[in-house]
């Protein structure tokens, strides 16, 4: 079964063709990041306008790259939530129009479920149940993936998402948006123990995260030093901050794994590209006897291949949209 998948929840317009949930035939991503960089973050109205311009050529290219036409496609999957509402509406309305004109079934797909599904592409042997750490620019969740379309949130952030904290810390150090990846690179040459940063915990909620205090601590460290004319070693600040975030993420995730008796641990979302998160969890899982899975780096960020994968499992579980499908800025993964 071939699914044409469409993603437009944030600042990437993407389309892909995926067979049987696992085999990516084509995948096209048009990033708007260079334009948003000028403003230090995503400008929602610009994002919507660029999606409107890019969606037709991106979808056409995904078909051309695959050497297929719409008559070869069996269903259309589209990200309908969560994300920037104006951005989501471009993809949803385009997919609805295409579904109406071709008669193909339309499959609404949750963006975070799709991030999890990127792992089905990178790890063909992976099947639920497993415990997944979903860390993106907008979310930080620990999710029990009981089945492909059955999930339970075990822990969540109480304030900032991990990606958001990375981006804000990086911005304070003068790095361009999105700073997470730059900060990760700079941290490679620094000492993670150079600066002592807090590890916030949430009382009576051992699997929940809180990154806002940690973010403020590093911002204060940078501002206070600059006011006193002290020059900080940027690589050391990046390494200490990255170590603190990864420490919080891995501690809670491993604790949940132990308490819930998980056997397979998985990471997903933009922050799953973080080198320290990947290496720390690989080592810890090996030590503790868990099987560990992560998406290939090219599938960590937003793309439509993951939408085609999750869309397949949504379709076979009977999740087909009516003609009044809408987009939602927020929607639980459950
Ligand atoms: O999943 P994603 O592409 O978009 C959302 O759904 O939010 O995640 C984007 C986030 C950004 O905050 C970005 O800085 C972060 O993922 N990110 C990273 C790395 N690569 C991307 N954070 C830390 N280390 C990285 N290597
Ligand atoms: Zn995403």
């Amino acid at each position: 079964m071939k699914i044409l998948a469409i993603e437009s929840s944030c600042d990437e317009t993407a389309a892909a063709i995926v067979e049987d949930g696992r085999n990516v035939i084509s995948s096209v991503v048009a990033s708007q990041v260079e334009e948003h960089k000028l403003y230090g973050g995503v400008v929602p109205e610009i994002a919507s306008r660029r999606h409107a311009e890019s969606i037709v050529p991106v979808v056409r290219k995904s078909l051309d790259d695959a050497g297929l036409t719409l008559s070869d496609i069996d269903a259309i999957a589209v990200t309908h939530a969560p994300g920037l509402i104006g951005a989501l509406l471009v993809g949803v309305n385009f997919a609805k129009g295409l579904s109406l004109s071709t008669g193909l079934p339309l499959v609404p797909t949750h963006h975070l479920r799709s991030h999890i599904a990127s792992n089905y592409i990178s790890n063909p042997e992976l099947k639920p149940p497993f415990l997944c750490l979903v860390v993106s620019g907008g979310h930080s969740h620990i999710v029990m993936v009981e089945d492909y379309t059955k999930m339970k949130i075990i822990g969540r952030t109480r304030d900032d998402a991990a990606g958001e904290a990375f981006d804000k810390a990086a911005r304070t150090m003068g790095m361009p948006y999105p700073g997470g990846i730059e900060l990760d690179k700079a941290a490679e040459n620094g000492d993670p123990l150079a600066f002592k940063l807090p590890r916030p915990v949430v009382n009576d909620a051992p699997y929940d995260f809180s990154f806002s205090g940690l973010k403020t601590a590093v911002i204060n460290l940078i501002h206070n030093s600059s006011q006193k004319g002290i020059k900080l070693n940027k690589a050391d600040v990046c390494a200490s901050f990255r170590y603190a975030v990864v420490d919080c993420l891995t501690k809670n995730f491993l604790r949940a794994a132990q308490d819930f008796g998980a056997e397979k641990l998985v990471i997903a979302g933009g922050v799953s590209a973080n080198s320290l998160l990947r290496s720390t969890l690989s080592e810890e899982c090996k030590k503790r006897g868990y099987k560990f899975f992560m998406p290939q780096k090219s599938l960590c960020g937003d793309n439509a291949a993951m939408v085609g994968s999750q869309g397949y499992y949504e379709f076979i579980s009977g999740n087909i949209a009516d003609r009044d499908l809408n987009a939602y800025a927020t929607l639980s993964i459950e």
Side-chain angles (χ1 to χ4, degrees):
M1 170 181 196
K2 293 188 187 73
I3 290 192
L4 167 63
I6 295 167
E7 155 67 38
S8 70
S9 66
C10 190
D11 58 348
E12 263 95 24
T13 318
I17 294 162
V18 181
E19 193 168 25
D20 298 335
R22 302 267 177 170
N23 176 29
V24 181
I25 304 176
S26 69
S27 176
V28 181
V29 181
S31 176
Q32 313 168 354
V33 73
E34 288 308 317
E35 192 166 0
H36 296 295
K37 241 177 208 172
L38 301 171
Y39 307 96
V42 177
V43 183
E45 185 178 331
I46 293 177
S48 309
R49 288 174 185 275
R50 294 298 162 262
H51 286 308
E53 285 167 3
S54 306
I55 192 115
V56 172
V58 164
V59 170
R60 185 163 285 158
K61 187 167 177 355
S62 72
L63 286 162
D64 290 347
D65 286 0
L68 299 173
T69 66
L70 281 171
S71 60
D72 300 307
I73 301 298
D74 301 296
I76 299 163
V78 65
T79 307
H80 74 306
L84 300 172
I85 193 64
L88 287 164
L89 280 166
V90 176
V92 166
N93 281 314
F94 180 83
K96 275 168 83 168
L98 205 56
S99 164
L100 277 172
S101 62
T102 56
L104 291 171
L106 181 61
V107 183
T109 308
H110 190 284
H111 184 66
L112 296 182
R113 287 188 176 195
S114 298
H115 270 300
I116 295 173
S118 63
N119 280 283
Y120 303 140
I121 298 167
S122 298
N123 308 286
E125 72 280 24
L126 177 65
K127 289 187 179 107
F130 54 80
L131 192 67
C132 188
L133 176 69
V134 190
V135 271
S136 70
H139 298 84
S140 300
H141 285 346
I142 296 175
V143 180
M144 181 60 79
V145 182
E146 293 168 357
D147 206 341
Y148 291 102
T149 56
K150 196 166 172 237
M151 332 219 156
K152 208 165 177 267
I153 298 175
I154 304 296
R156 64 177 83 227
T157 181
R158 295 296 182 100
D159 39 58
D160 292 355
E164 197 180 345
F166 270 122
D167 292 344
K168 286 183 181 156
R171 187 171 163 170
T172 312
M173 283 181 271
M175 295 170 174
Y177 173 85
I181 187 160
E182 298 270 339
L183 191 151
D184 189 17
K185 270 189 220 152
E188 291 297 313
N189 304 314
D191 173 7
L193 303 175
F195 299 99
K196 238 181 135 127
L197 292 169
R199 306 288 195 267
V201 289
V202 182
N203 286 338
D204 304 322
Y207 318 123
D208 281 2
F209 305 106
S210 168
F211 292 112
S212 117
L214 175 54
K215 175 196 70 184
T216 307
V218 80
I219 291 174
N220 286 346
L221 169 74
I222 297 161
H223 286 163
N224 290 344
S225 308
S226 104
Q227 277 159 9
K228 289 178 195 152
I230 302 167
K231 206 169 167 352
L232 293 175
N233 180 320
K234 203 161 154 176
D236 284 349
V237 180
C238 290
S240 303
F241 182 73
R242 180 178 72 164
Y243 178 46
V245 173
V246 169
D247 201 24
C248 295
L249 289 172
T250 51
K251 270 198 186 122
N252 291 13
F253 189 39
L254 291 168
R255 181 163 177 184
Q258 188 178 13
D259 293 353
F260 287 85
E263 290 170 9
K264 290 176 260 181
L265 303 199
V266 177
I267 56 173
V271 180
S272 68
N274 187 269
S275 358
L276 185 66
L277 183 66
R278 291 168 84 90
S279 60
T280 306
L281 279 172
S282 299
E283 281 164 33
E284 289 299 324
C285 287
K286 208 171 174 183
K287 265 195 242 160
R288 296 161 196 239
Y290 298 122
K291 283 192 185 136
F292 178 59
F293 301 88
M294 52 191 171
Q296 66 212 64
K297 281 208 175 180
S298 62
L299 289 181
C300 291
D302 291 344
N303 65 85
M306 66 186 194
V307 180
S309 176
Q310 183 61 27
Y312 171 75
Y313 295 104
E314 297 291 343
F315 179 81
I316 57 178
S317 80
N319 183 8
I320 314 287
D322 292 329
R323 291 189 171 177
D324 60 355
L325 176 69
N326 208 341
Y328 302 94
T330 55
L331 183 72
S332 170
I333 195 171
E334 293 180 347

